């Protein structure tokens, strides 16, 4: 019987090819005893070393197991990891393995993952652009870049107009952000979705003032308006504002997602396949969200294997709304990694119909971009920024 023979986390990247966190990806390759290969992807955000170590721990547990037994592997890992299971490193390793095992399963049965789940609900996926606003600082910069993105066919744009503010934002910061959003709205018109990214960095009091200033521009959602651990602040934000909320990129399992759903704290759920438990958990969470009338808008910021796997879920989840994509704003090597197989056309990703994740990973590009240990840091620069949108004097705005 076919068994898992090896699980390898391969750090790939090109120093300086994008923002620090975006210049690297963690691709996980699973090999079986019959020589079959499956590919997954883990969260790279400046923890590549820890994720690689967690993947080695995971490999020591799952080598010899049946690659078909995905649920059993999830539970076995939970039991093995004990305290560590509630960590992004541990769930990132499991998530990448899960994606690779679904890739293997699809290749074995000759079907794309969405066929193994609920079948095609849609053949193309409405996608919004992120990563498009590099080097934008003024309202004019953002408006000009936004117009270019809409001309590419996108019907949705996400951006972070808050520069270097953290925790507290003063009146000047709120005015500057509102001017940026106003300029983008003016440039793209009323029918393009605008999503306002807060990167989970404000107190509820600041986030409420931001909502009061920006709601007039009809954002589709306000993303991570308060710190991700600040449930009390999110409850207050919800009671004091009338704007839709999106969050989820830092949720690690379905039980965490349920907490937000039960309390009506989220309108668009953005869990991420590469850290929430892969295809298996992200699919279960979509059903949970559906029972609360919440739409799915999976987080998708890292690499081409994540992007392809996420499209497989988008293809079959009934309560899917809109898909984040950096695809056109990836460094070229990320598109090359899958032979540029998931282009965005007229604002939509087509659903890949190949077996498994639907695309093939180019082993030559994988090998030529190995970058073990690549973890760039720009002193003082926040981890989340899109390159060139953080200016030195922003540091003075952190109280
Ligand atoms: O919604 C998103 O796509 C994320 O918040 C990105 O903007 C972050 O910068 C990235 O995930 C950091 O690793
Ligand atoms: Mg985000």
């Amino acid at each position: 019987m076919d068994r898992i023979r090896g699980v390898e986390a391969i750090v790939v990247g090109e120093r300086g090819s994008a923002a620090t966190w975006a210049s690297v990806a963690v691709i996980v390759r699973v090999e079986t005893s019959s020589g079959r290969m499956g590919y997954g992807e883990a969260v790279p955000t400046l923890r590549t070393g820890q994720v690689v170590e967690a993947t080695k721990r995971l490999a020591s547990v799952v080598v010899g197991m049946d690659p078909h037994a995905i649920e059993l592997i999830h539970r076995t890992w939970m039991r093995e990891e004990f305290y560590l299971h509630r960590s992004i490193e541990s769930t990132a390793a499991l998530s990448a393995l899960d994606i690779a095992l679904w890739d293997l399963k699809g290749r074995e049965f000759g079907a794309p993952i969405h066929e193994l789940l609920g079948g095609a609900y849609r053949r193309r996926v409405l996608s919004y652009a992120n990563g498009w606003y590099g080097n934008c600082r003024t309202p004019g910069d953002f408006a000009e870049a936004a117009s270019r993105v809409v001309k590419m066919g996108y019907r949705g744009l996400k951006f972070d107009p808050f520069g270097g503010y953290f925790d507290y934002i003063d009146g000047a910061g709120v005015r500057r952000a509102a001017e940026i959003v106003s300029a983008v709205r003016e440039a793209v018109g009323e029918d393009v979705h605008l999503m306002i990214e807060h990167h989970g960095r404000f107190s509820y009091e600041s986030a409420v003032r931001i909502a009061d200033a920006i709601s007039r521009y009809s954002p589709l959602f306000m993303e991570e308006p308060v710190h991700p651990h600040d449930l009390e602040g999110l409850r207050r934000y919800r009671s004091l504002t009338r704007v839709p909320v999106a969050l989820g990129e830092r949720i690690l399992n379905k039980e965490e997602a349920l907490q937000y759903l039960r309390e009506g704290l989220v309108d668009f759920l953005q869990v991420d396949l590469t850290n929430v438990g892969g295809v298996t958990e992200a699919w279960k969470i979509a059903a949970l969200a559906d029972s609360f009338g919440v739409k799915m808008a999976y987080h998708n910021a890292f690499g081409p294997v994540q992007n392809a796997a996420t499209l497989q879920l988008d293809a079959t989840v009934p309560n899917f709304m809109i898909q984040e994509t950096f695809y056109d704003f990836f460094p070229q090597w990320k598109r090359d990694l899958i032979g540029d197989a998931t282009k965005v056309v007229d604002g939509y990703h087509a659903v890949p119909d190949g077996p498994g994740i639907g695309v093939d990973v180019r082993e030559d590009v994988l090998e030529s971009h190995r970058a073990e240990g690549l973890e760039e840091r720009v002193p003082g620069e926040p981890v989340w920024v899109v390159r060139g949108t953080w200016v030195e004097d922003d540091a003075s705005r952190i109280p």
Side-chain angles (χ1 to χ4, degrees):
M1 183 176 188
D2 212 7
R3 290 282 183 238
I4 296 174
R5 176 160 63 193
V7 182
E8 183 186 4
I10 303 166
V11 177
V12 290
E14 260 179 38
R15 185 175 296 281
S17 57
T20 53
W21 59 274
S23 298
V24 67
V26 181
I27 304 298
V28 171
R29 181 173 59 199
V30 176
E31 185 178 1
T32 72
S33 49
S34 66
R36 296 188 305 116
M37 297 284 199
Y39 295 88
E41 187 167 350
V43 174
T45 306
L46 300 182
R47 289 291 181 276
T48 53
Q50 287 92 316
V51 172
V52 170
E53 284 314 306
T55 308
K56 285 178 186 159
R57 279 203 319 273
L58 178 57
S60 70
V61 170
V62 302
V63 164
M65 289 185 74
D66 174 0
H68 302 89
I70 296 178
E71 289 283 6
L72 174 62
I73 286 169
H74 274 250
R75 225 51 171 189
T76 303
W77 183 233
M78 182 203 288
R79 193 180 68 238
E80 286 288 331
E81 277 285 83
F82 196 50
Y83 282 155
L84 285 179
H85 194 54
R86 284 172 49 85
S87 76
I88 196 163
E89 293 86 345
S90 179
T91 58
L94 175 66
S95 300
L97 172 65
D98 180 276
I99 295 167
L101 295 176
W102 277 99
D103 187 32
L104 274 169
K105 200 183 278 286
R107 291 176 193 281
E108 181 175 354
F109 296 114
I113 291 170
H114 70 266
E115 278 303 341
L116 302 175
L117 297 175
Y121 189 100
R122 55 188 66 77
R123 297 275 177 207
R124 61 178 196 157
V125 171
L126 176 64
S127 302
Y128 72 82
N130 195 353
W132 54 272
Y133 54 100
N135 301 313
C136 287
R137 294 189 185 118
T138 67
D141 295 341
F142 276 88
E144 211 177 293
S147 299
R148 283 198 298 271
V149 177
V150 169
K151 283 195 182 83
M152 291 167 71
Y154 283 96
R155 293 165 171 74
L157 305 171
K158 181 160 86 179
F159 55 107
D160 177 337
F162 307 108
Y165 285 92
F166 189 82
D167 269 339
Y168 175 80
I169 187 168
D170 61 15
V174 173
R175 281 194 302 279
R176 181 173 91 167
E179 284 159 9
I180 290 171
V181 177
S182 170
V184 170
R185 178 52 82 199
E186 178 75 25
V188 303
E190 291 304 317
D191 298 326
V192 171
H193 291 307
L194 299 187
M195 283 131 294
I196 309 302
E197 171 70 87
H198 300 57
H199 281 118
R201 68 180 185 276
F202 293 114
S203 67
Y204 87 90
E205 179 275 332
S206 285
V208 167
R209 280 187 288 114
I210 288 170
D212 291 347
I214 288 181
S215 58
R216 72 197 64 180
Y217 303 112
S218 314
L220 177 65
F221 55 63
M222 306 292 262
E223 179 167 327
E224 288 198 310
V226 299
H227 292 300
H229 51 274
D230 183 9
L231 269 176
E232 195 45 49
L234 185 58
R235 292 181 186 112
R236 293 185 185 185
Y237 179 85
R238 288 293 264 188
S239 68
L240 295 169
T241 64
R242 310 300 311 149
V243 287
V245 167
L247 57 83
E249 66 187 80
R250 294 186 253 201
I251 287 176
L252 297 184
N253 53 52
K254 59 187 172 307
E255 290 76 13
E256 277 185 39
L258 181 59
Q259 189 167 7
Y260 290 99
L261 293 167
R262 281 177 50 238
E263 291 195 43
L265 296 176
V266 60
D267 303 298
F268 298 91
L269 191 55
Q270 300 175 301
V271 293
D272 180 318
L273 273 69
T274 65
N275 63 11
V276 80
V279 169
T280 304
E281 199 81 354
W283 191 47
K284 292 177 181 176
I285 289 170
L288 263 183
D290 200 17
S291 56
F292 290 89
V294 168
K295 295 285 187 192
M296 297 308 294
Y298 289 107
H299 179 258
N300 175 37
F302 304 132
V305 171
Q306 170 189 30
N307 191 66
T310 305
L311 292 174
Q312 290 299 322
L313 276 182
D314 296 340
T316 189
V317 161
N319 53 318
F320 164 79
M321 163 76 191
I322 191 167
Q323 181 54 56
E324 173 178 43
T325 188
F326 278 76
Y327 195 74
D328 281 322
F329 308 95
F330 272 161
Q332 183 61 39
W333 64 267
K334 288 188 180 180
R335 287 188 293 273
D336 292 345
L337 204 49
I338 57 157
D340 197 6
T342 57
K343 294 182 192 304
V344 179
V345 176
D346 196 24
Y348 287 82
H349 269 295
V351 175
D353 254 338
I357 60 172
V359 299
D360 294 323
V361 170
R362 292 274 305 274
E363 279 285 348
D364 56 334
V365 179
L366 195 63
E367 290 307 322
S368 62
H369 282 79
R370 277 185 181 266
E372 266 68 20
L374 175 56
E375 288 203 0
E376 287 186 282
R377 287 296 283 128
V378 175
E381 181 179 84
V383 166
W384 60 76
V385 296
V386 170
R387 187 164 287 281
T389 54
W390 163 263
V391 291
E392 259 326 293
D393 72 350
D394 276 350
S396 64
R397 293 191 171 84
I398 298 176

